[in-house]
């Protein structure tokens, strides 16, 4: 199990196919790397660089995130991405 | 539906034609990428990097925004742009 | 009508001729781009990046501003420049 | 014995083999430098750059950390890495 | 008349000759651009980037300023320089 | 005698040989410049860039410090390094 | 007379010869530009960038300063350097 520290969030990229179903498709040069993802773990928030951060996303949320943000790791055989919550642009419903 | 986080705002670029009608046309090299847009979703504001941000734009506002700001995504078949409110220069009425 | 957000100010560049009359002419390589302008719209000020900003310029002020500051747009057929108040150096009377 | 100052943490990289067992394998170009490590010493926290930092990791934790973070030194014949706690992405359990 | 905003100060460069009389001559490669100047207008100070600034120079002061600081403009036929007070190194008496 | 200002610390590099005895040897390309040093003078701490800094090291401590940190000077015939306390990674015992 | 503003300090470089007498000689490539200097004028301190600065050096102190810091000017026929107090590393006694 991954327990992110601070304001970090663990994301699992959604496939281009799933992305289309939900009505979000990425444009132009970013087509190969969908920016839509599923939240699979959320840090506790708290003070980050001296600023109090409250977590606004929760496990199960579908989110859009900054293409160049985060660190990729493989977890239990799946690629996941660890980002800061501030790299998450929006929740998609 | 897109629900932006923090001080983020989702914009839909207005076509060059619409732009002309409203009296705003972009100059010089920026002609191809109109900076006028319609606000289609607004984040809740709150604390961003430790500073309280109150949202000054609302859905339906026509705005001018910084040409290099934001992230482009396609939503429900339309290209939209996610920017921070601080990237919005002015409301055009 | 343009309503600037936060500490932004909309400026209309003054022609080199008018500039001469008022006694301000720009030197050297900046001669082609006069830095003197007329304030045509002023934002409400308030908190910008967590700092309270009070607006010190008003519509009708003639001002000097930083040559590389701001974003140029065309409004009602005229080129205008949107700058932050902190990019305004001085009021010229 | 190494006693880290402030919010610093001393890490011992886990071998690629151990990494596989725990279900975390790094992707792509980062394969040669596993980002999974064991916490072997933890600083006292306290004020770092004027911000109060509470330590969230403890000796014995298995953690993921930013690939380019920290300083490598050899201690008692073993390579260790000194990072700031903010360079630690998550605890892996 | 030039009325600087915030912590800005308007300076008039002193000629190399005058400079010599006062006992300050600039060294080496900076010889062509004397950094000694006369204060001809002073802003009101107040909050600049959220920090309260009190003005320490007054009209008529002879000052030393950072060679690369400020913006040059021509005012009433004379070249003047608009700098922030923090670009002024010292008052010369 | 050197009396460092603020949060500065004066260090005397330990020889590679001494380093080996204490069990710390530097890896790879940093082999020529040992990062282990002896604290020979400590500043009073106090407010540094507006943040209160308490000194955590004392004269006689053996420390690890960031390889690219500090300024080298020769004192009483010996090379010493002046660093900020924040460039010290850990105390080695 | 030079009266530095804020946290600025005016220094007069000490000759390499004097430097040797006091036991401080600079190493390697910095040999030509001794970093040891005499304090000849001290600013009043006070708020600098919003932080209260108390002056820790006084006229007559012999100090070590960062080689690349400050602005050189000639005063009363002598080269002096204007630095911020934070560019002073240590007082040498």
């Amino acid at each position: 199990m991954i327990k992110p520290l601070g304001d970090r969030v663990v994301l699992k990229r959604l496939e281009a196919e799933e992305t289309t179903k939900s009505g979000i498709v990425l444009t132009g040069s970013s087509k190969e790397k969908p920016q839509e993802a599923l939240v699979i773990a959320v840090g506790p928030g708290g003070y980050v660089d001296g600023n109090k951060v409250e977590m606004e996303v929760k496990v199960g949320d579908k989110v859009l995130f900054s293409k160049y943000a985060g660190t990729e790791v493989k977890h239990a055989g799946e690629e996941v991405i660890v980002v800061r919550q501030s790299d998450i642009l929006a929740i998609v419903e």
Side-chain angles (χ1 to χ4, degrees), chain A:
Chain A
M1 213 188 94
I2 295 187
K3 285 173 52 181
L5 292 194
D7 62 342
R8 288 194 176 84
V9 175
V10 183
L11 301 177
K12 181 171 162 282
R13 251 185 243 282
L14 292 175
E15 294 303 315
E17 291 78 38
E18 297 182 50
T19 307
T20 309
K21 278 175 216 153
S22 74
I24 304 280
V25 183
L26 294 172
T27 64
S29 65
S30 52
K31 222 173 260 173
E32 315 81 340
K33 276 210 166 179
Q35 289 162 293
E36 202 179 359
L38 196 67
V39 174
I40 62 173
V42 177
Y47 285 87
V48 176
D49 298 336
N51 298 323
K52 184 146 177 47
V53 175
E54 311 224 356
M55 300 312 285
E56 299 176 64
V57 298
K58 57 182 194 304
V59 172
D61 279 352
K62 208 180 284 190
V63 297
L64 285 173
F65 68 103
S66 300
K67 197 165 56 163
Y68 301 109
T71 302
E72 303 203 358
V73 293
K74 216 176 226 179
H75 176 57
E78 276 189 314
E79 279 186 34
V80 298
I81 303 147
V82 184
V83 300
R84 291 182 171 278
Q85 180 174 263
S86 58
D87 293 319
I88 297 180
L89 306 173
I91 300 174
V92 184
E93 289 182 342

